[in-house]
Amino acid sequence: MNGRPLAEEYEGYNKAYVELVPDCNIKDYLGKQLDDMTAFLSEIPEELGDYSYAPGKWTLKEVIGHISDNERIMSYRLLVIARGEQQVLPGYDQDPYMATVDYSGNTLGQLIEDFVLARRASLSMIGLLSEEAMLRTGTANGRVSVRALAYILAGHAQHHWNGIVSNYLK
């Protein structure tokens, strides 16, 4: 599907994520982003995995794990809204999720592979959706279209990729 989502297809707090993604064929973009992110993350030395750039900030492993969690949550929302779900979907607060997970026993490679698998599942599902399904809307932390959720997936990953560059690899 080509075309950036319209402002009315998502809540304002997602604008920053949507704006990180060019007007494009979103499936192609998500695939290229997967390849580029995987190559980039694979070059990071393992010893940086447990690094946190400031007290109270996530470790690099936690950031990568969070990207995968978000991928799955947004993909679930994307699927059920594409299928016509009109019930309000549950909210998602990243902080309680992260408070219950310990990635220190995992390698960066394991967490990168987990992201790869999550993104591939998203790509497979998005590739099966019709143009009509991409424009369906539902409620998940406000009204949102399937197309906007695909852009939010890409923008969220890009947001954290930018953060890794600026905060973890200085």
Side-chain angles (χ1 to χ4, degrees):
M1 160 139 233
N2 291 316
R4 174 184 301 285
L6 304 173
E8 59 266 19
E9 291 181 56
Y10 56 91
E11 296 297 320
Y13 63 88
N14 282 312
K15 182 178 181 183
Y17 293 142
V18 172
E19 288 183 346
L20 286 172
V21 182
D23 189 354
C24 62
N25 176 305
I26 192 60
K27 183 175 187 246
D28 292 346
Y29 185 87
L30 286 163
K32 180 168 180 0
Q33 185 185 52
L34 172 62
D35 294 342
D36 293 348
M37 258 183 97
T38 302
F40 167 76
L41 292 171
S42 296
E43 294 296 319
I44 297 173
E46 184 64 41
E47 59 269 15
L48 290 180
D50 292 312
Y51 170 72
S52 174
Y53 66 92
K57 296 297 184 180
W58 294 341
T59 66
L60 183 56
K61 288 179 182 178
E62 289 171 327
V63 172
I64 297 168
H66 164 70
I67 295 169
S68 297
D69 282 355
N70 187 78
E71 184 85 18
R72 289 183 174 97
I73 291 165
M74 295 301 144
S75 289
Y76 168 76
R77 290 175 174 183
L78 195 149
L79 169 68
V80 298
I81 293 171
R83 298 295 188 254
E85 182 64 69
Q86 290 303 303
Q87 292 187 53
V88 175
L89 300 175
Y92 156 52
D93 182 343
Q94 66 187 16
D95 294 323
Y97 279 54
M98 294 306 291
T100 64
V101 67
D102 178 7
Y103 289 117
S104 64
N106 300 103
T107 66
L108 283 176
Q110 288 171 316
L111 294 167
I112 294 164
E113 180 61 18
D114 186 57
F115 168 67
V116 168
L117 294 171
R119 175 57 64 88
R120 284 185 182 154
S122 298
L123 284 166
S124 175
M125 178 180 48
I126 291 167
L128 297 173
L129 297 177
S130 67
E131 295 276 332
E132 178 185 349
M134 291 293 286
L135 296 175
R136 288 192 184 114
T137 61
T139 306
N141 289 9
R143 291 301 286 176
V144 66
S145 72
V146 172
R147 174 171 61 177
L149 284 165
Y151 268 74
I152 292 164
L153 268 178
H156 178 266
Q158 189 63 51
H159 164 77
H160 284 293
W161 184 356
N162 295 347
I164 290 169
V165 170
S166 63
N167 297 316
Y168 294 84
L169 302 179
K170 292 190 232 181

